[in-house]
Amino acid sequence: MALTTESLAVGLAGVAARMETAAEELNRLDAQIGDGDLGVTMVRIGRGVNEVLGDLPDDVGMAFMKCVQAITKVSGSSYATLVATALMSAAKVCKGRTEVPLSEMSALLAGAAEAMKARGKAELGDKTVIDAIDAAAKAVVGLDDGRAILAAAGAAVDDVIERMRDRPNRVGRARIWAEKSIGLDDPGMVAFRRMIEGLAG
Amino acid sequence: MALTTESLAVGLAGVAARMETAAEELNRLDAQIGDGDLGVTMVRIGRGVNEVLGDLPDDVGMAFMKCVQAITKVSGSSYATLVATALMSAAKVCKGRTEVPLSEMSALLAGAAEAMKARGKAELGDKTVIDAIDAAAKAVVGLDDGRAILAAAGAAVDDVIERMRDRPNRVGRARIWAEKSIGLDDPGMVAFRRMIEGLAG
Amino acid sequence: MKKILNDVYSYVDEMLVGLCAAHPEYYAQVSEGARVIKRPEAPIAGKVGIVTGGGSGHLPIFTGYVGRGLLDATAIGDVFASPSADQMAEAMRAANGGKGVLRLYGNYGGDVMNFDMAGDIVEMEDIPSTTVVLADDVASAKPAEAAKRRGVAGMVYAFKIAGAAADAGKDLAEVTRIAQKTADACRTIGAALTSCTVPQAGKPTFEIGETEMEMGMGIHGEPGVWRGALRKADEIAAEMMDILLADQPLARGERVSPLINSLGATPPEELYILYRYVKARLDDMGVRIVMPLVGRYATSMEMAGVSFTFCKLDDELETYLKAPAECAFWKV
Amino acid sequence: MKKILNDVYSYVDEMLVGLCAAHPEYYAQVSEGARVIKRPEAPIAGKVGIVTGGGSGHLPIFTGYVGRGLLDATAIGDVFASPSADQMAEAMRAANGGKGVLRLYGNYGGDVMNFDMAGDIVEMEDIPSTTVVLADDVASAKPAEAAKRRGVAGMVYAFKIAGAAADAGKDLAEVTRIAQKTADACRTIGAALTSCTVPQAGKPTFEIGETEMEMGMGIHGEPGVWRGALRKADEIAAEMMDILLADQPLARGERVSPLINSLGATPPEELYILYRYVKARLDDMGVRIVMPLVGRYATSMEMAGVSFTFCKLDDELETYLKAPAECAFWKV
Ligand SMILES: Nc1ncnc2c1ncn2[C@@H]1O[C@H](COP(=O)(O)OP(=O)(O)O)[C@@H](O)[C@H]1O
Ligand SMILES: Nc1ncnc2c1ncn2[C@@H]1O[C@H](COP(=O)(O)OP(=O)(O)O)[C@@H](O)[C@H]1O
Ligand SMILES: [Mg+2]
Ligand SMILES: [Mg+2]
Ligand SMILES: [Mg+2]
Ligand SMILES: [Mg+2]
């Protein structure tokens, strides 16, 4: 199976829809250790991307780039910029191709995680969305079936959320509430989990 | 009997002493319809005048002038400036004399009331200290004995305070609380009453 | 009381020491502790002197506006209290460069009595002086009793325009005429959202509900026109403009300088939201806007609220308004 | 919520409309509603451009400092929220006069990510750019982790000095070096007495007792060093100076520009009381004071509190600090 602009558009539409229903939960989680806007941010990202989905170029890399633009336009939230950064890294890898084999998904996710680390000056273990993406990258190594990839990634993210729960947030706004963040789920990791659910439709 | 620098100094020392004990009452009255500082002002006037009492010139007019300077130095309150204005008007009348017959007291008070009217742009009946001084001026017409003057003036002031009580204050800070001032004694009139008590020793 | 200070009785003196220490090029104490501030170069020979004075707690008013093209000296009282006639006389001496002195200040009973008294005092020293009193607060008395109105932010225009006229070498009569013309051209209306706290009082001057505002309130908390629920910015601006325009109409083709002033805590962000409305409406009316002022020009310490002042201009006033001027709080 | 506004969602846009309407000589919108403000004459051919950006609610920071000898353009977010990378890229385009652009802003996670992203975007358009991030808030991290510190009022010095260097015709590398040198020379410590209210939140950002203060609190209410009873002005000033001097000692004969800054509601009267102490102590230490700044230079809307910034100077920085500059909020 392969990633095409068409399948990408379907997947992203699913993500956008899921964000509308997840907004409240994400705002609530973010409010505990941040500024409580993550749900709003995800809705903005979803709607922004939705607007360009009908009009994506066949070049998968260029299609990713168009989504990056849509996102940097609608939000300056950390998470939006990290998502844009991740998609930009995918755009570079996919540029010039109309089909990208799903077997590359692990590498795409790993590349995204690296780009996000550089952007956010964060490390693995800092309890951010990067831990979730890294876990997903590792879980889908060797898989090339869409359903299987989503299932494995979802399970891996659930697991890392669980494992990280009792550790402190070490970067972002939550850093200043590090002690308070122990025992709480990182909102960015949960948002990634909801995105996977959205992709699964 | 006559007013001399010596008898003036004795009288003013009595006023200064009475102000220390009257301060609280005057602050309280002023707080109801003003800024609550009249007691503080009277203490300042008393202490300021006290400092120059030992050093007054024999010329009664010049002695009054020295008190004026002492007062304008220590306070910018309305009442202080009105008292200074009254003393200045007395200074002009007494200038060049070392003895001023007490039979002139009514005229001195009437002159002071006129000067204060001009200074404060107030009329009789506006429920200010001027009503009290005017009443005192009228009450001491023809008297030339110190005790008798103080007794008549005191009674007249008590009477005018009583008569004015149920009218509104029409000038000064109290003007904006005109309605509220009905039923309350004008603090400036009461202060004048306490000054008479001080003069009486 | 949430104020940063050492002692309520030294609030004013320490403030003045800091002010003069921070800006020695603009402000000098006439003598230590006298609470009389002058331009370091005052008195300026051959120039009409301009003095003002009043209670502390209104910076930049009063002392802040001492400077080139503005005021020569000022007498400062305790917070919200008149300085003494003695201080005012001292300020007049410091300002007198041989051409006489204009007393230019706000219409408050105590200040008026003291400045008149001070005039009597310096008259004995042969310093000629005149008086112009600002009475621009339209909420403080009906038009029929306009002379009883209090002086508020309109003082900023009077200081600036009279200061420029004195700087231009006009004589005392002429500076006085121009100052009076400016005073007559100014109308102000204020609205308060929260109280300030006078240090010596130690508690807020007035109580006001969590969602209330008071239209027309004075800068010391004097009662206003109405008290009620906080309205939207455009509604507040509309009412304030209505009040100003009813008192002094502005016709198509006329010009005005509007001052959108914070009473202290209200941030510039919110002033600009208000100005947006004022500008659009004046444009609509065909009134020309000259040198709009938006900021903290006349305050009541940490009071939240705003005032609008409209200064109606003609060629003469506009020229002086735009003339160069300089103090620590304002440069033109 | 005691704020003067029409709608929490239009707070920033209406504020920017009013700002540009009041001061068209200083501020122009790049396009309606874009929340990117530039000097009307920008881009200026042959001059290095300087851009900044960050959340609204800090006027004069950020937009206020767009002007001659200061900044060329700025990207503005919602109150206390980062603008988007897209806006920042737009600001960089507006500022680029062919000599490249310096991104000069405060160290906040979101702002840093977005400005880096914006740099990546304009790199594709061949606009060379550099970054200098202010991290002057000593209370926000230990000296060993100084790079993690937040950027606060030190930005004022960086804008002024880098702006003057760009104005003097220095190239991008040189402007960047000078900006970084300024950033390294600034230390700031803040203390809050009351909270501000973010319009979209509708209630105070934090709770604080009627007689409490918090030392070291951040400009968005980030937790500080201690919270306790409100102290006397001189005690507060002494502790703040101790903290600054421990982080960056000042020896006899060295020079510093001190900024005594109100976070919003604290009136200038109280800043001058504090400055009185600062000046006396620096004099005592034999440290030379250059261009002391006292006023509202970097705020958090209606928050009561103050910050002290010490910018340690040498000949180069002093020259640029004193060079002419002009915006609606500050003229040098
Ligand atoms: N520097 C960073 N590096 C990696 N992830 C980060 C970083 N900062 C924030 N995040 C992630 O973003 C989430 C918060 O996003 P968001 O609400 O948009 O932040 P903010 O409102 O502070 O800009 C966090 O839960 C975390 O997963
Ligand atoms: N304009 C005026 N004319 C006459 N008397 C006045 C005037 N203003 C005030 N007073 C008198 O002074 C008293 C108040 O004095 P004071 O407390 O010094 O005033 P303030 O504190 O407002 O300056 C009043 O009770 C009244 O008797
Ligand atoms: Mg958030
Ligand atoms: Mg946010
Ligand atoms: Mg009183
Ligand atoms: Mg008083």
Side-chain angles (χ1 to χ4, degrees), chain A residues 72-73 75-76 78 81-82 88 119 121 175, chain D residues 82-84 86 112-114 116-117 120:
Chain A
T72 59
K73 217 184 197 88
S75 176
S78 303
T81 307
L82 289 165
M88 207 186 218
R119 179 72 75 221
K121 299 182 182 84
R175 177 174 81 87
Chain D
S82 177
S84 68
D86 193 65
V112 173
M113 283 193 251
N114 283 311
D116 285 350
M117 182 90 184
D120 289 354

mmCIF file with all atom_site columns, all heavy atoms in Angstrom, chain A residues 72-73 75-76 78 81-82 88 119 121 175, chain D residues 82-84 86 112-114 116-117 120:
data_model
loop_
_atom_site.group_PDB
_atom_site.id
_atom_site.type_symbol
_atom_site.label_atom_id
_atom_site.label_alt_id
_atom_site.label_comp_id
_atom_site.label_asym_id
_atom_site.label_entity_id
_atom_site.label_seq_id
_atom_site.pdbx_PDB_ins_code
_atom_site.Cartn_x
_atom_site.Cartn_y
_atom_site.Cartn_z
_atom_site.occupancy
_atom_site.B_iso_or_equiv
_atom_site.pdbx_formal_charge
_atom_site.auth_seq_id
_atom_site.auth_comp_id
_atom_site.auth_asym_id
_atom_site.auth_atom_id
_atom_site.pdbx_PDB_model_num
ATOM 1   N N   . THR A 1 72  ? 0.668  27.086 9.422  1.00 0.00 ? 72  THR A N   1
ATOM 2   C CA  . THR A 1 72  ? 1.406  28.251 9.952  1.00 0.00 ? 72  THR A CA  1
ATOM 3   C C   . THR A 1 72  ? 0.576  29.519 9.818  1.00 0.00 ? 72  THR A C   1
ATOM 4   O O   . THR A 1 72  ? 0.848  30.512 10.467 1.00 0.00 ? 72  THR A O   1
ATOM 5   C CB  . THR A 1 72  ? 2.767  28.465 9.236  1.00 0.00 ? 72  THR A CB  1
ATOM 6   O OG1 . THR A 1 72  ? 2.539  28.649 7.836  1.00 0.00 ? 72  THR A OG1 1
ATOM 7   C CG2 . THR A 1 72  ? 3.701  27.296 9.449  1.00 0.00 ? 72  THR A CG2 1
ATOM 8   N N   . LYS A 1 73  ? -0.407 29.466 8.937  1.00 0.00 ? 73  LYS A N   1
ATOM 9   C CA  . LYS A 1 73  ? -1.264 30.637 8.781  1.00 0.00 ? 73  LYS A CA  1
ATOM 10  C C   . LYS A 1 73  ? -2.256 30.784 9.921  1.00 0.00 ? 73  LYS A C   1
ATOM 11  O O   . LYS A 1 73  ? -2.526 31.901 10.377 1.00 0.00 ? 73  LYS A O   1
ATOM 12  C CB  . LYS A 1 73  ? -2.043 30.501 7.457  1.00 0.00 ? 73  LYS A CB  1
ATOM 13  C CG  . LYS A 1 73  ? -2.243 31.809 6.734  1.00 0.00 ? 73  LYS A CG  1
ATOM 14  C CD  . LYS A 1 73  ? -3.089 31.657 5.491  1.00 0.00 ? 73  LYS A CD  1
ATOM 15  C CE  . LYS A 1 73  ? -2.911 32.860 4.597  1.00 0.00 ? 73  LYS A CE  1
ATOM 16  N NZ  . LYS A 1 73  ? -1.777 32.686 3.666  1.00 0.00 ? 73  LYS A NZ  1
ATOM 17  N N   . SER A 1 75  ? -2.282 29.376 13.088 1.00 0.00 ? 75  SER A N   1
ATOM 18  C CA  . SER A 1 75  ? -1.944 29.300 14.515 1.00 0.00 ? 75  SER A CA  1
ATOM 19  C C   . SER A 1 75  ? -0.461 29.482 14.777 1.00 0.00 ? 75  SER A C   1
ATOM 20  O O   . SER A 1 75  ? 0.381  29.063 13.988 1.00 0.00 ? 75  SER A O   1
ATOM 21  C CB  . SER A 1 75  ? -2.400 27.962 15.090 1.00 0.00 ? 75  SER A CB  1
ATOM 22  O OG  . SER A 1 75  ? -1.992 27.857 16.436 1.00 0.00 ? 75  SER A OG  1
ATOM 23  N N   . GLY A 1 76  ? -0.173 30.113 15.878 1.00 0.00 ? 76  GLY A N   1
ATOM 24  C CA  . GLY A 1 76  ? 1.198  30.261 16.320 1.00 0.00 ? 76  GLY A CA  1
ATOM 25  C C   . GLY A 1 76  ? 1.450  29.455 17.585 1.00 0.00 ? 76  GLY A C   1
ATOM 26  O O   . GLY A 1 76  ? 2.476  29.607 18.231 1.00 0.00 ? 76  GLY A O   1
ATOM 27  N N   . SER A 1 78  ? 2.506  26.421 20.001 1.00 0.00 ? 78  SER A N   1
ATOM 28  C CA  . SER A 1 78  ? 3.640  25.500 19.928 1.00 0.00 ? 78  SER A CA  1
ATOM 29  C C   . SER A 1 78  ? 3.262  24.250 19.149 1.00 0.00 ? 78  SER A C   1
ATOM 30  O O   . SER A 1 78  ? 3.992  23.796 18.273 1.00 0.00 ? 78  SER A O   1
ATOM 31  C CB  . SER A 1 78  ? 4.072  25.083 21.331 1.00 0.00 ? 78  SER A CB  1
ATOM 32  O OG  . SER A 1 78  ? 4.398  26.208 22.089 1.00 0.00 ? 78  SER A OG  1
ATOM 33  N N   . THR A 1 81  ? 2.991  24.655 15.411 1.00 0.00 ? 81  THR A N   1
ATOM 34  C CA  . THR A 1 81  ? 4.286  24.795 14.763 1.00 0.00 ? 81  THR A CA  1
ATOM 35  C C   . THR A 1 81  ? 5.023  23.471 14.727 1.00 0.00 ? 81  THR A C   1
ATOM 36  O O   . THR A 1 81  ? 5.712  23.150 13.758 1.00 0.00 ? 81  THR A O   1
ATOM 37  C CB  . THR A 1 81  ? 5.107  25.869 15.503 1.00 0.00 ? 81  THR A CB  1
ATOM 38  O OG1 . THR A 1 81  ? 4.310  27.055 15.575 1.00 0.00 ? 81  THR A OG1 1
ATOM 39  C CG2 . THR A 1 81  ? 6.376  26.186 14.757 1.00 0.00 ? 81  THR A CG2 1
ATOM 40  N N   . LEU A 1 82  ? 4.846  22.663 15.763 1.00 0.00 ? 82  LEU A N   1
ATOM 41  C CA  . LEU A 1 82  ? 5.480  21.346 15.766 1.00 0.00 ? 82  LEU A CA  1
ATOM 42  C C   . LEU A 1 82  ? 4.855  20.440 14.711 1.00 0.00 ? 82  LEU A C   1
ATOM 43  O O   . LEU A 1 82  ? 5.564  19.709 14.017 1.00 0.00 ? 82  LEU A O   1
ATOM 44  C CB  . LEU A 1 82  ? 5.358  20.722 17.163 1.00 0.00 ? 82  LEU A CB  1
ATOM 45  C CG  . LEU A 1 82  ? 6.248  21.391 18.223 1.00 0.00 ? 82  LEU A CG  1
ATOM 46  C CD1 . LEU A 1 82  ? 5.813  20.985 19.623 1.00 0.00 ? 82  LEU A CD1 1
ATOM 47  C CD2 . LEU A 1 82  ? 7.726  21.041 17.987 1.00 0.00 ? 82  LEU A CD2 1
ATOM 48  N N   . MET A 1 88  ? 6.581  19.342 7.359  1.00 0.00 ? 88  MET A N   1
ATOM 49  C CA  . MET A 1 88  ? 7.625  19.874 6.484  1.00 0.00 ? 88  MET A CA  1
ATOM 50  C C   . MET A 1 88  ? 8.730  18.840 6.287  1.00 0.00 ? 88  MET A C   1
ATOM 51  O O   . MET A 1 88  ? 9.272  18.684 5.184  1.00 0.00 ? 88  MET A O   1
ATOM 52  C CB  . MET A 1 88  ? 8.213  21.144 7.104  1.00 0.00 ? 88  MET A CB  1
ATOM 53  C CG  . MET A 1 88  ? 8.796  22.106 6.087  1.00 0.00 ? 88  MET A CG  1
ATOM 54  S SD  . MET A 1 88  ? 9.608  23.468 6.956  1.00 0.00 ? 88  MET A SD  1
ATOM 55  C CE  . MET A 1 88  ? 9.204  24.835 5.920  1.00 0.00 ? 88  MET A CE  1
ATOM 56  N N   . ARG A 1 119 ? 13.406 21.673 16.378 1.00 0.00 ? 119 ARG A N   1
ATOM 57  C CA  . ARG A 1 119 ? 12.558 22.881 16.478 1.00 0.00 ? 119 ARG A CA  1
ATOM 58  C C   . ARG A 1 119 ? 12.264 23.268 17.918 1.00 0.00 ? 119 ARG A C   1
ATOM 59  O O   . ARG A 1 119 ? 12.362 24.432 18.288 1.00 0.00 ? 119 ARG A O   1
ATOM 60  C CB  . ARG A 1 119 ? 11.230 22.629 15.726 1.00 0.00 ? 119 ARG A CB  1
ATOM 61  C CG  . ARG A 1 119 ? 10.256 23.749 15.759 1.00 0.00 ? 119 ARG A CG  1
ATOM 62  C CD  . ARG A 1 119 ? 10.684 24.930 14.878 1.00 0.00 ? 119 ARG A CD  1
ATOM 63  N NE  . ARG A 1 119 ? 10.489 24.655 13.463 1.00 0.00 ? 119 ARG A NE  1
ATOM 64  C CZ  . ARG A 1 119 ? 11.352 25.004 12.506 1.00 0.00 ? 119 ARG A CZ  1
ATOM 65  N NH1 . ARG A 1 119 ? 12.479 25.633 12.801 1.00 0.00 ? 119 ARG A NH1 1
ATOM 66  N NH2 . ARG A 1 119 ? 11.111 24.727 11.246 1.00 0.00 ? 119 ARG A NH2 1
ATOM 67  N N   . LYS A 1 121 ? 13.755 22.128 20.675 1.00 0.00 ? 121 LYS A N   1
ATOM 68  C CA  . LYS A 1 121 ? 14.877 21.960 21.600 1.00 0.00 ? 121 LYS A CA  1
ATOM 69  C C   . LYS A 1 121 ? 14.500 21.021 22.741 1.00 0.00 ? 121 LYS A C   1
ATOM 70  O O   . LYS A 1 121 ? 14.738 21.296 23.925 1.00 0.00 ? 121 LYS A O   1
ATOM 71  C CB  . LYS A 1 121 ? 15.361 23.316 22.127 1.00 0.00 ? 121 LYS A CB  1
ATOM 72  C CG  . LYS A 1 121 ? 15.842 24.202 20.965 1.00 0.00 ? 121 LYS A CG  1
ATOM 73  C CD  . LYS A 1 121 ? 16.387 25.525 21.397 1.00 0.00 ? 121 LYS A CD  1
ATOM 74  C CE  . LYS A 1 121 ? 16.800 26.341 20.173 1.00 0.00 ? 121 LYS A CE  1
ATOM 75  N NZ  . LYS A 1 121 ? 15.680 27.088 19.537 1.00 0.00 ? 121 LYS A NZ  1
ATOM 76  N N   . ARG A 1 175 ? 6.782  23.193 31.627 1.00 0.00 ? 175 ARG A N   1
ATOM 77  C CA  . ARG A 1 175 ? 8.025  23.062 32.384 1.00 0.00 ? 175 ARG A CA  1
ATOM 78  C C   . ARG A 1 175 ? 7.935  23.773 33.738 1.00 0.00 ? 175 ARG A C   1
ATOM 79  O O   . ARG A 1 175 ? 8.427  23.266 34.752 1.00 0.00 ? 175 ARG A O   1
ATOM 80  C CB  . ARG A 1 175 ? 9.171  23.668 31.568 1.00 0.00 ? 175 ARG A CB  1
ATOM 81  C CG  . ARG A 1 175 ? 10.508 23.668 32.255 1.00 0.00 ? 175 ARG A CG  1
ATOM 82  C CD  . ARG A 1 175 ? 11.605 24.145 31.299 1.00 0.00 ? 175 ARG A CD  1
ATOM 83  N NE  . ARG A 1 175 ? 11.681 25.584 31.187 1.00 0.00 ? 175 ARG A NE  1
ATOM 84  C CZ  . ARG A 1 175 ? 12.396 26.374 31.994 1.00 0.00 ? 175 ARG A CZ  1
ATOM 85  N NH1 . ARG A 1 175 ? 13.102 25.850 32.970 1.00 0.00 ? 175 ARG A NH1 1
ATOM 86  N NH2 . ARG A 1 175 ? 12.430 27.673 31.822 1.00 0.00 ? 175 ARG A NH2 1
ATOM 87  N N   . SER D 2 82  ? 1.833  33.519 21.068 1.00 0.00 ? 82  SER D N   1
ATOM 88  C CA  . SER D 2 82  ? 2.753  33.756 19.952 1.00 0.00 ? 82  SER D CA  1
ATOM 89  C C   . SER D 2 82  ? 1.995  34.037 18.664 1.00 0.00 ? 82  SER D C   1
ATOM 90  O O   . SER D 2 82  ? 0.966  33.429 18.389 1.00 0.00 ? 82  SER D O   1
ATOM 91  C CB  . SER D 2 82  ? 3.637  32.521 19.740 1.00 0.00 ? 82  SER D CB  1
ATOM 92  O OG  . SER D 2 82  ? 4.486  32.713 18.630 1.00 0.00 ? 82  SER D OG  1
ATOM 93  N N   . PRO D 2 83  ? 2.509  34.952 17.853 1.00 0.00 ? 83  PRO D N   1
ATOM 94  C CA  . PRO D 2 83  ? 1.983  35.067 16.494 1.00 0.00 ? 83  PRO D CA  1
ATOM 95  C C   . PRO D 2 83  ? 2.421  33.826 15.720 1.00 0.00 ? 83  PRO D C   1
ATOM 96  O O   . PRO D 2 83  ? 3.226  33.033 16.199 1.00 0.00 ? 83  PRO D O   1
ATOM 97  C CB  . PRO D 2 83  ? 2.668  36.336 15.956 1.00 0.00 ? 83  PRO D CB  1
ATOM 98  C CG  . PRO D 2 83  ? 3.867  36.548 16.813 1.00 0.00 ? 83  PRO D CG  1
ATOM 99  C CD  . PRO D 2 83  ? 3.607  35.883 18.129 1.00 0.00 ? 83  PRO D CD  1
ATOM 100 N N   . SER D 2 84  ? 1.873  33.645 14.527 1.00 0.00 ? 84  SER D N   1
ATOM 101 C CA  . SER D 2 84  ? 2.218  32.454 13.748 1.00 0.00 ? 84  SER D CA  1
ATOM 102 C C   . SER D 2 84  ? 3.498  32.677 12.956 1.00 0.00 ? 84  SER D C   1
ATOM 103 O O   . SER D 2 84  ? 3.916  33.813 12.715 1.00 0.00 ? 84  SER D O   1
ATOM 104 C CB  . SER D 2 84  ? 1.078  32.123 12.791 1.00 0.00 ? 84  SER D CB  1
ATOM 105 O OG  . SER D 2 84  ? 0.995  33.124 11.797 1.00 0.00 ? 84  SER D OG  1
ATOM 106 N N   . ASP D 2 86  ? 3.813  32.240 9.934  1.00 0.00 ? 86  ASP D N   1
ATOM 107 C CA  . ASP D 2 86  ? 3.380  32.933 8.728  1.00 0.00 ? 86  ASP D CA  1
ATOM 108 C C   . ASP D 2 86  ? 3.452  34.463 8.908  1.00 0.00 ? 86  ASP D C   1
ATOM 109 O O   . ASP D 2 86  ? 3.973  35.180 8.043  1.00 0.00 ? 86  ASP D O   1
ATOM 110 C CB  . ASP D 2 86  ? 1.932  32.513 8.470  1.00 0.00 ? 86  ASP D CB  1
ATOM 111 C CG  . ASP D 2 86  ? 1.457  32.894 7.099  1.00 0.00 ? 86  ASP D CG  1
ATOM 112 O OD1 . ASP D 2 86  ? 2.003  32.341 6.121  1.00 0.00 ? 86  ASP D OD1 1
ATOM 113 O OD2 . ASP D 2 86  ? 0.565  33.755 7.008  1.00 0.00 ? 86  ASP D OD2 1
ATOM 114 N N   . VAL D 2 112 ? 10.010 31.160 19.884 1.00 0.00 ? 112 VAL D N   1
ATOM 115 C CA  . VAL D 2 112 ? 11.263 30.657 19.307 1.00 0.00 ? 112 VAL D CA  1
ATOM 116 C C   . VAL D 2 112 ? 10.968 29.690 18.171 1.00 0.00 ? 112 VAL D C   1
ATOM 117 O O   . VAL D 2 112 ? 11.517 29.792 17.071 1.00 0.00 ? 112 VAL D O   1
ATOM 118 C CB  . VAL D 2 112 ? 12.123 29.976 20.401 1.00 0.00 ? 112 VAL D CB  1
ATOM 119 C CG1 . VAL D 2 112 ? 13.342 29.309 19.769 1.00 0.00 ? 112 VAL D CG1 1
ATOM 120 C CG2 . VAL D 2 112 ? 12.541 30.993 21.450 1.00 0.00 ? 112 VAL D CG2 1
ATOM 121 N N   . MET D 2 113 ? 10.070 28.743 18.414 1.00 0.00 ? 113 MET D N   1
ATOM 122 C CA  . MET D 2 113 ? 9.740  27.764 17.368 1.00 0.00 ? 113 MET D CA  1
ATOM 123 C C   . MET D 2 113 ? 9.211  28.459 16.128 1.00 0.00 ? 113 MET D C   1
ATOM 124 O O   . MET D 2 113 ? 9.593  28.135 15.002 1.00 0.00 ? 113 MET D O   1
ATOM 125 C CB  . MET D 2 113 ? 8.685  26.790 17.885 1.00 0.00 ? 113 MET D CB  1
ATOM 126 C CG  . MET D 2 113 ? 9.265  25.760 18.819 1.00 0.00 ? 113 MET D CG  1
ATOM 127 S SD  . MET D 2 113 ? 8.057  24.454 19.075 1.00 0.00 ? 113 MET D SD  1
ATOM 128 C CE  . MET D 2 113 ? 7.600  24.791 20.746 1.00 0.00 ? 113 MET D CE  1
ATOM 129 N N   . ASN D 2 114 ? 8.339  29.432 16.353 1.00 0.00 ? 114 ASN D N   1
ATOM 130 C CA  . ASN D 2 114 ? 7.731  30.099 15.202 1.00 0.00 ? 114 ASN D CA  1
ATOM 131 C C   . ASN D 2 114 ? 8.728  30.975 14.452 1.00 0.00 ? 114 ASN D C   1
ATOM 132 O O   . ASN D 2 114 ? 8.721  31.004 13.222 1.00 0.00 ? 114 ASN D O   1
ATOM 133 C CB  . ASN D 2 114 ? 6.525  30.935 15.653 1.00 0.00 ? 114 ASN D CB  1
ATOM 134 C CG  . ASN D 2 114 ? 5.326  30.053 15.916 1.00 0.00 ? 114 ASN D CG  1
ATOM 135 O OD1 . ASN D 2 114 ? 4.984  29.217 15.075 1.00 0.00 ? 114 ASN D OD1 1
ATOM 136 N ND2 . ASN D 2 114 ? 4.715  30.201 17.069 1.00 0.00 ? 114 ASN D ND2 1
ATOM 137 N N   . ASP D 2 116 ? 11.924 30.455 14.299 1.00 0.00 ? 116 ASP D N   1
ATOM 138 C CA  . ASP D 2 116 ? 12.822 29.551 13.570 1.00 0.00 ? 116 ASP D CA  1
ATOM 139 C C   . ASP D 2 116 ? 12.141 29.050 12.300 1.00 0.00 ? 116 ASP D C   1
ATOM 140 O O   . ASP D 2 116 ? 12.737 29.011 11.226 1.00 0.00 ? 116 ASP D O   1
ATOM 141 C CB  . ASP D 2 116 ? 13.213 28.361 14.457 1.00 0.00 ? 116 ASP D CB  1
ATOM 142 C CG  . ASP D 2 116 ? 14.234 28.759 15.521 1.00 0.00 ? 116 ASP D CG  1
ATOM 143 O OD1 . ASP D 2 116 ? 14.772 29.885 15.441 1.00 0.00 ? 116 ASP D OD1 1
ATOM 144 O OD2 . ASP D 2 116 ? 14.487 27.940 16.425 1.00 0.00 ? 116 ASP D OD2 1
ATOM 145 N N   . MET D 2 117 ? 10.874 28.695 12.467 1.00 0.00 ? 117 MET D N   1
ATOM 146 C CA  . MET D 2 117 ? 10.094 28.217 11.313 1.00 0.00 ? 117 MET D CA  1
ATOM 147 C C   . MET D 2 117 ? 10.018 29.322 10.251 1.00 0.00 ? 117 MET D C   1
ATOM 148 O O   . MET D 2 117 ? 10.185 29.068 9.060  1.00 0.00 ? 117 MET D O   1
ATOM 149 C CB  . MET D 2 117 ? 8.691  27.881 11.809 1.00 0.00 ? 117 MET D CB  1
ATOM 150 C CG  . MET D 2 117 ? 7.775  27.325 10.757 1.00 0.00 ? 117 MET D CG  1
ATOM 151 S SD  . MET D 2 117 ? 7.937  25.531 10.730 1.00 0.00 ? 117 MET D SD  1
ATOM 152 C CE  . MET D 2 117 ? 6.870  25.136 9.362  1.00 0.00 ? 117 MET D CE  1
ATOM 153 N N   . ASP D 2 120 ? 13.097 29.506 8.332  1.00 0.00 ? 120 ASP D N   1
ATOM 154 C CA  . ASP D 2 120 ? 13.134 28.468 7.300  1.00 0.00 ? 120 ASP D CA  1
ATOM 155 C C   . ASP D 2 120 ? 12.314 28.889 6.094  1.00 0.00 ? 120 ASP D C   1
ATOM 156 O O   . ASP D 2 120 ? 12.704 28.660 4.945  1.00 0.00 ? 120 ASP D O   1
ATOM 157 C CB  . ASP D 2 120 ? 12.564 27.148 7.848  1.00 0.00 ? 120 ASP D CB  1
ATOM 158 C CG  . ASP D 2 120 ? 13.494 26.500 8.862  1.00 0.00 ? 120 ASP D CG  1
ATOM 159 O OD1 . ASP D 2 120 ? 14.618 27.023 9.049  1.00 0.00 ? 120 ASP D OD1 1
ATOM 160 O OD2 . ASP D 2 120 ? 13.096 25.490 9.466  1.00 0.00 ? 120 ASP D OD2 1
#
